[in-house]
Amino acid sequence: MDKFTRLLSLVALLEQSARPKTFEEIREELPDSYTQSRPETARRAFERDKKDLLDMGVPLRTLDVADDPSGSAYVIRRERSAVADPGFTGAELAALRMAATAMALRDEGAGLADATDGLRKYGGMGPAGDGPTLAEIRLDSNVTELFSAILNGTPVAFTHSDRTRKVLPQHLWSMGGHWYLTCHDLDAGASRTYRLDRLEGAVLPVDPAEERAEKPAAGIESSDAAGPGGRFRPWEFGDGPVESVTISLDAPSATVALAEHPGLEVVEAGDDHTVVRLDVRNREGLFSWLLSFIDRAELVGPPDVRDAFVDHVSGIARAGSPQ
């Protein structure tokens, strides 16, 4: 079991436990995590994991007990009362509710997890199970391997277009039902972006003894679909024909959009709205970005792109309506 999965398993066990667990209980309940033949070796591995979690800010507490040879037991207790009420309005909670019920994560060979439990704590959800799931983001072994490599700053290798690529992963994101990776190609010495379902076979860690990766210098472009400052522009990621699309944003949304993408072409700037022009290669990426502004952004033209966006939103509404 890789370190990333082992740490997640340990956190899940200690957070869900009704009482503190001794190391022997942890070892028994996580047989794939601490299976070293010598108890002292397994204990050292656990102590390293415990230190890593504490360094990451996980509130892992060590308690004194009498019925364990080490005299210690472990538990994770998060202070829920320390989370301040963010003060969402009714409309904001409704928008978050739509997003939480529309998307879910499904692990490979496992069950479905969603974001509704956290939102329910803020009064934004009804009873458990309400609302349809409109889409899923799937997690597989390649995604988890790349997440682990990003966290640890370690290189990986995979096959793409019949070539083995050795890369230092930098950023993962999901768009349109697909995972994308931004990385630094160690052989080419340049930034690259790959769609994960187009990789051939498994993503494998690179032995540090064979390949010593250096992180690329700050300021390197994160992808060919990045604007100034390396910001990823989802509407530019693709190889389709370029369409000039006009978007009108209200004042608060324009502030956010221009902060994220300072190189956007502004064609009109008013007190209450700003109009920008985008060169679009990927309509799906554009529509996903627009929906992040809910009703604060309007696709002005051209008419065929506007009609396609209306159809896209109508399809989401139909999928979410009671049958």
Side-chain angles (χ1 to χ4, degrees), residues 2 36 53 112 122 151 173 185 189 226 228:
D2 63 87
Q36 291 86 343
L53 292 177
L112 195 66
Y122 290 122
L151 288 174
W173 73 92
D185 190 302

Side-chain angles (χ1 to χ4, degrees), residues 97-113:
R97 179 183 184 281
M98 174 184 175
T101 57
M103 298 301 296
L105 298 174
R106 184 179 293 278
D107 195 2
E108 187 177 41
L112 195 66

Side-chain angles (χ1 to χ4, degrees), residues 51-304:
K51 181 180 183 301
D52 288 341
L53 292 177
L54 290 170
D55 289 343
M56 285 186 265
V58 176
L60 192 157
R61 297 175 58 195
T62 301
L63 305 178
D64 294 332
V65 294
D67 55 351
D68 183 70
S70 67
S72 300
Y74 308 92
V75 66
I76 292 176
R77 289 287 182 264
R78 301 186 185 274
E79 298 296 334
R80 301 186 185 277
S81 59
V83 179
D85 183 353
F88 292 129
T89 66
E92 289 169 336
L93 283 170
L96 287 171
R97 179 183 184 281
M98 174 184 175
T101 57
M103 298 301 296
L105 298 174
R106 184 179 293 278
D107 195 2
E108 187 177 41
L112 195 66
D114 61 38
T116 59
D117 183 60
L119 184 55
R120 190 173 289 111
K121 293 177 175 62
Y122 290 122
M125 299 295 298
D130 65 347
T133 296
L134 305 184
E136 294 177 6
I137 299 176
R138 293 189 172 271
L139 305 177
D140 59 21
S141 57
N142 282 350
V143 174
T144 55
E145 181 69 41
L146 288 168
F147 269 124
S148 179
I150 290 172
L151 288 174
N152 295 320
T154 55
V156 297
F158 52 78
T159 302
H160 182 273
S161 299
D162 297 325
R163 282 183 52 197
T164 298
R165 322 277 177 153
K166 290 183 180 180
V167 306
L168 184 65
Q170 296 170 313
H171 181 56
L172 272 172
W173 73 92
S174 179
M175 183 181 72
H178 300 290
W179 282 102
Y180 294 85
L181 169 71
T182 297
C183 57
H184 183 70
D185 190 302
L186 299 173
D187 294 324
S191 186
R192 296 287 186 267
T193 299
Y194 297 98
R195 209 174 92 175
L196 295 198
D197 61 330
R198 293 178 179 169
L199 305 187
E200 301 161 22
V203 174
L204 301 173
V206 173
D207 188 344
E210 298 177 7
E211 189 75 37
R212 183 176 297 276
E214 295 184 1
K215 292 188 177 181
I220 190 169
E221 291 292 333
S222 62
S223 76
D224 292 336
R231 295 287 187 175
F232 174 67
R233 295 179 172 181
W235 60 86
E236 293 181 0
F237 191 86
D239 52 9
V242 175
E243 300 177 291
S244 181
V245 177
T246 305
I247 306 295
S248 178
L249 301 134
D250 70 4
S253 296
T255 300
V256 172
L258 292 173
E260 288 186 336
H261 307 288
L264 292 183
E265 179 186 358
V266 177
V267 296
E268 181 183 341
D271 293 335
D272 59 351
H273 74 285
T274 297
V275 178
V276 297
R277 183 181 293 118
L278 311 178
D279 289 334
V280 176
R281 290 183 179 272
N282 186 326
R283 287 188 179 184
E284 188 174 276
L286 171 68
F287 296 166
S288 297
W289 181 71
L290 283 176
L291 285 173
S292 69
F293 295 104
I294 312 297
D295 61 347
R296 294 177 172 268
E298 178 187 359
L299 199 161
V300 179
D304 61 325

